[in-house]
Amino acid sequence: MTGVISLLPEGRPGLLAPLLSGAWLSGGSEDLARYLAEGGYAPLPAPDRLLDRIAAAGLRGRGGAGFPAAVKIRAVRDAPGPPVVVANGEEGEPGSVKDRWLLRHRPHMVLDGLRLAAAMTGAERGCVYLSDARAERAVRRALAERPPELHIDVVRTEHAYVAGEETAVVRRIDGGPALPTAKPPRPFESGVGGAPTLVANVETLARVALTHSRPEAADDVAGAHLLTLAGARGAAALVEVPVGTHLKVLADLCGHGRAEAVLMGGLFGGLHGAGWTDLPLDHESLTAAGGALGCGALYFLHPEDCPVAVAGEATAYLAAQSARQCGVCVSGTGALAGTLTSVARGTANHDTTDQLHRWSRQLPGRGACGLLDAAARIVATLLAHFPDRVDAHRGSACPACADPAPEDGRRFRVPMP
Ligand code: SF4
């Protein structure tokens, strides 16, 4: 069962709360009249005023890297040539649903944010990039309800782990495959059709829109996060929480109170054990703990869940999702997944784990995108935080570890609420 929950204090503006009562909904999507009445699509601001407000509030991008939004917008604005702005709604992480949910239910808010991004950068052309059919219908309906000031294309892609990576987004919009390219150039230098391009996550754009309609609450808007919570046991939920909420509170929220580990940031932030419950949800704390908030998906492990099995399934999925463009990624993710299989089968020895240690140090940063880094971090954190659980597999197969681990990421998938 999947629910939608807001933990924001009463009266604080958020992305979920207005829709939870159902009053804002019209045909399953937000009602345009209500959105307008609450300050949506307000007259365009002086571009620098909104940009300065976003910078002062410290809004970070919500696609995964957590880069300061204002820095990215300024880089596009200051690059030579007429820019393009893209609302990126293709969430490749199997455990995340927030972006599809926003596009399905709050398309006006995302389009409002895209319009504001265009105003801040000087773009006259925009694009909504997505893979979900229901989200596409909602966006097209919203565009028909309120025709935008700028030209907006809707581009559909195949759902895949790397399809939302920003260079893959540009390549697909330009008519190619949704596969990453080597950087530089980054899209802000040369993106869609060679133009400087802002590729912004749809939650980031929704927060830009809310910052514009509720300027007095800019800090609260920038400090709240949409998260997808799940686990092998308990329920799943899409939640909106204030920054600083402890991970233990999030686990308790949907029946994972007994959890003793968490896979963080979708598949990007690694596995974390002892002490994770004390971590506050903020970019800096999670990074300092060796994790990453990434797309905001958290997968909780209970005592009876095997971290080796979870790591095995995650790396098998990543190996299967490799775009097979970089030799080191093809061989590296395959080797990590295959070696974890030998750990799970009970055939690993000290040499095997030494090899995993070496690879997890050597592989990060060597692929064109973050997929190889994600696989290496899962292995590094498994070895660092669960040495006893890894050792317990020596000499005998673990019943919890499927043989071979499924490659389809089914363990991490969350049904749409
Ligand atoms: S690192 Fe892997 S997934 Fe990323 S572009 Fe290279 S081959 Fe593709």
Side-chain angles (χ1 to χ4, degrees):
M1 196 186 102
T2 312
V4 180
I5 303 167
S6 173
L7 290 188
L8 299 184
E10 187 77 27
R12 187 178 289 189
L15 310 186
L16 302 183
L19 267 61
L20 292 180
S21 68
W24 273 50
L25 288 173
S26 164
S29 200
E30 69 194 324
D31 182 85
L32 176 60
R34 294 293 292 260
Y35 185 63
L36 291 169
E38 292 292 323
Y41 293 122
L44 289 171
D48 282 351
R49 188 182 311 160
L50 179 58
L51 195 44
D52 290 347
R53 194 169 280 146
I54 290 167
L59 177 66
R60 288 181 181 273
R62 301 306 166 84
F67 198 69
V71 174
K72 199 165 162 178
I73 294 167
R74 279 201 186 103
V76 174
R77 180 198 64 183
D78 296 342
V84 176
V85 287
V86 177
N88 183 7
E90 166 49 12
E91 51 190 354
E93 287 283 359
S96 181
V97 298
K98 71 181 179 72
D99 294 337
R100 274 168 293 160
W101 193 95
L102 273 178
L103 285 169
R104 287 182 183 190
H105 299 289
R106 305 224 64 179
H108 282 299
M109 195 176 215
V110 173
L111 291 170
D112 194 4
L114 189 62
R115 167 191 85 112
L116 293 164
M120 288 186 282
T121 57
E124 292 177 357
R125 184 185 162 199
C127 181
V128 181
Y129 176 80
L130 43 70
S131 65
D132 182 61
R134 216 179 124 188
E136 181 181 1
R137 285 197 295 277
V139 169
R140 289 193 185 281
R141 195 166 48 236
L143 287 169
E145 265 186 320
R146 186 186 182 281
E149 294 96 333
L150 71 158
H151 176 86
I152 293 182
D153 294 310
V154 179
V155 174
R156 182 101 172 259
T157 187
E158 292 296 314
H159 180 63
Y161 189 81
V162 296
E165 195 274 345
E166 62 177 6
T167 60
V169 173
V170 167
R171 203 169 168 189
R172 176 70 189 90
I173 293 171
D174 276 343
L179 300 176
T181 55
K183 298 174 272 290
R186 291 192 170 272
F188 80 87
E189 300 162 303
S190 177
V192 174
T197 300
L198 177 74
V199 180
N201 170 265
V202 293
E203 181 190 347
T204 314
L205 292 173
R207 294 200 179 278
V208 166
L210 196 52
T211 302
H212 182 47
S213 63
R214 296 288 303 273
E216 81 290 354
D219 290 354
D220 291 337
V221 172
H225 288 268
L226 284 187
L227 306 173
T228 314
L229 310 178
R233 296 145 226 281
L238 171 65
V239 301
E240 186 167 21
V241 303
V243 67
T245 305
H246 279 75
L247 267 55
K248 171 74 172 141
V249 173
L250 300 174
D252 287 341
L253 192 65
C254 36
H256 300 290
R258 291 191 310 114
E260 57 179 26
V262 62
L263 178 61
M264 201 180 280
L267 304 183
F268 187 70
L271 278 160
H272 300 269
W276 70 268
T277 54
D278 299 330
L279 290 172
L281 184 108
D282 68 67
H283 190 77
E284 292 76 14
S285 300
L286 298 185
T287 303
L293 183 55
C295 64
L298 300 175
Y299 181 88
F300 298 107
L301 282 70
H302 290 224
E304 52 274 50
D305 296 323
C306 174
V308 174
V310 172
E313 290 193 34
T315 52
Y317 173 75
L318 291 169
Q321 289 286 309
S322 165
R324 312 192 80 74
Q325 302 189 118
C326 317
V328 67
C329 175
V330 177
S331 58
T333 53
L336 291 171
T339 308
L340 278 181
T341 299
S342 74
V343 173
R345 284 178 180 157
T347 57
N349 54 34
H350 279 292
D351 287 347
T352 320
T353 44
D354 284 351
Q355 183 69 272
L356 283 173
H357 273 294
R358 267 199 303 282
W359 285 335
S360 67
R361 284 193 301 270
Q362 293 167 349
L363 292 174
R366 296 185 59 195
C369 76
L371 183 143
L372 181 58
D373 298 3
R377 196 198 298 246
I378 287 169
V379 172
T381 50
L382 173 74
L383 297 172
H385 301 308
F386 303 93
D388 296 346
R389 301 293 291 267
V390 174
D391 280 347
H393 287 70
R394 283 227 168 93
S396 60
C398 166
C401 293
D403 185 20
E407 296 180 343
D408 56 7
R410 78 185 77 141
R411 172 194 283 273
F412 307 106
R413 291 193 197 289
V414 176
M416 282 295 290

